[in-house]
Amino acid sequence: MSRHIYQHPEPFVFENGKELVDLQISYEVFGELNTDRSNVIWVCHALTANANVLDWWPGLFGANDLFNPNDYYIVCANVIGSAYGSSNPLSINPATGQPYYLSFPEFTVKDLVNAHQLLAAHLDINQLEVLIGGSLGGQQALEWAASNTIPINQLIVVGTNAVHSPWGIAFNESQRLAITADRTFYANHPDGGKKGLKVARSIALLSYRNYITYDHTQRDEDDNKVNGYKAASYQNYQGEKLVKRYNAYSYFYLTKAMDSHNLARGRASLEAALNGISCPTLVLAVNTDVLFPPAEQRFIAQHIPNATYQEVESSYGHDGFLIETKKLTAIIHNFLKNKKAYINELV
């Protein structure tokens, strides 16, 4: 593992026209580039993840896993707005000497992707063997593939969509309402909005899991209990867990970025944007995902010309894309193997 900071030497212009004069991108790399730079696996992370993909996607990425640093050069960059080192609302505004807080420019998924492309150019990476991402990471991967700014040999997206749904936006807005109801969010303090963030995470968790998940893991067996339920304790625990590692400002901005995701913006249509993705693509859905229902992934696969669709069975809902790594490994391994066999046939 190697953690780096890339300081972009020029002002970064956002999709809305605003600028950031000192864009900083925090990223981690695992493994070594081969001589022809053809072994790059680029991972786009989800909402509150960091750049250490070996930490949050074990079973898929690791020394004994499908994507092994001994074989690949694995890159994962923290997105703009992330609490883990890239430019974000708690970064220092050089004009004031104070953190940006709510004066940080709003950004979109397109902006996240443009920053990825800048980093790829800085690393002298001119092709991606595999571009992979789930959830918000999948939105980034699709946008990058649709933008056609770098050759991608194989695209893998999991639990994502071509445009963020009204359902997903409603969940995100409810979380932001919780954050902004905490008056400390407007206090311009690094700990601002933490109580609201706890509530927001509790709301989010309901969309990451489902009825079946809670019934299996949080059901109380004591029929006489009238308080202190496992499910209630679990919601509090998960909210506190995020508060200890994240900040409300990054969360607020990144949910807005997720809402902005729409491959049709600036293009003829969703279908046209997807139809323009020419690389072999694996689209994976989790059958019990209520936040990104399988119908959204089927739509993606139907409109990318060279796409394969697979559904992963899981009781964990949206979080299944992080948990069911054995199933993901088997499907992705077959996809990559078949792609390699096809290339060999052409040769």
Side-chain angles (χ1 to χ4, degrees), residues 17 56 65 68 77 113 116 121 153 156 164 167 226 248 256 313 334 345:
W56 55 262
D65 299 323
N68 187 334
V113 167
H116 288 324
N153 293 331
I156 302 171
H164 207 45
W167 175 246
V226 295
K256 280 184 167 287
E313 290 190 7
N334 286 334
E345 284 179 11

Side-chain angles (χ1 to χ4, degrees), residues 66 154 156 282 308 310 326-342:
L66 179 62
Q154 291 148 117
I156 302 171
L282 175 62
T308 301
Q310 291 282 333
K326 286 185 178 180
K327 295 178 181 179
L328 289 177
T329 294
I331 295 171
I332 295 172
H333 173 72
N334 286 334
F335 170 73
L336 298 178
K337 182 178 66 175
N338 291 338
K339 167 64 165 49
K340 185 175 181 180
Y342 175 71

Side-chain angles (χ1 to χ4, degrees), residues 51-292:
N52 186 358
V53 64
L54 272 64
D55 179 59
W56 55 262
W57 221 346
L60 193 58
F61 287 84
N64 299 309
D65 299 323
L66 179 62
F67 294 120
N68 187 334
N70 293 326
D71 301 321
Y72 296 105
Y73 185 64
I74 301 167
V75 183
C76 186
N78 280 131
V79 296
I80 295 171
S82 164
Y84 295 115
S86 293
S87 296
N88 68 83
L90 296 188
S91 298
I92 299 300
N93 182 346
T96 65
Q98 299 296 319
Y100 284 96
Y101 296 113
L102 295 175
S103 67
F104 194 78
E106 286 195 7
F107 51 86
T108 66
V109 170
K110 285 188 178 184
D111 294 320
L112 306 185
V113 167
N114 287 340
H116 288 324
Q117 183 57 54
L118 290 174
L119 178 59
H122 167 71
L123 296 174
D124 196 23
I125 292 172
N126 54 23
Q127 65 175 314
L128 306 180
E129 177 59 22
V130 175
L131 174 62
I132 182 172
S135 194
L136 173 61
Q139 293 177 336
Q140 295 167 61
L142 284 171
E143 176 61 43
W144 203 357
S147 72
N148 198 31
T149 57
I150 191 170
I152 300 165
N153 293 331
Q154 291 148 117
L155 173 64
I156 302 171
V157 293
V158 192
T160 194
N161 50 24
V163 55
H164 207 45
S165 66
W167 175 246
I169 293 170
F171 263 112
N172 284 341
E173 180 64 13
S174 295
Q175 293 172 68
R176 290 191 294 269
L177 287 172
I179 290 173
T180 56
D182 181 345
R183 294 174 61 186
T184 66
F185 182 64
Y186 299 101
N188 286 351
H189 188 276
D191 289 334
K194 282 194 174 293
K195 290 183 178 179
L197 179 60
K198 177 180 176 179
V199 179
R201 189 60 166 187
S202 178
I203 294 170
L205 202 64
L206 299 176
S207 69
Y208 300 158
R209 302 295 175 92
N210 56 48
Y211 179 95
I212 298 170
T213 315
Y214 278 82
D215 193 52
H216 285 176
T217 63
Q218 304 304 323
R219 177 177 289 278
D220 287 286
E221 301 301 331
D222 183 359
D223 292 334
N224 295 314
K225 181 176 284 189
V226 295
N227 209 336
Y229 299 105
K230 287 175 65 176
S233 176
Y234 183 69
Q235 295 302 100
N236 275 276
Y237 165 75
Q238 290 293 341
E240 288 289 349
K241 187 177 177 182
L242 183 68
V243 165
K244 289 176 181 178
R245 69 175 179 87
Y246 220 71
N247 72 78
Y249 302 96
S250 287
Y251 197 89
F252 181 87
Y253 272 82
L254 282 169
T255 58
K256 280 184 167 287
M258 180 178 276
D259 291 352
S260 78
H261 175 60
N262 188 344
L263 294 182
R265 190 168 64 254
R267 303 183 178 102
S269 65
L270 282 179
E271 292 84 355
L274 292 168
N275 192 254
I277 298 174
S278 59
C279 59
T281 301
L282 175 62
V283 184
L284 290 167
V286 179
N287 68 322
T288 56
D289 191 339
V290 296
L291 183 56
F292 294 85

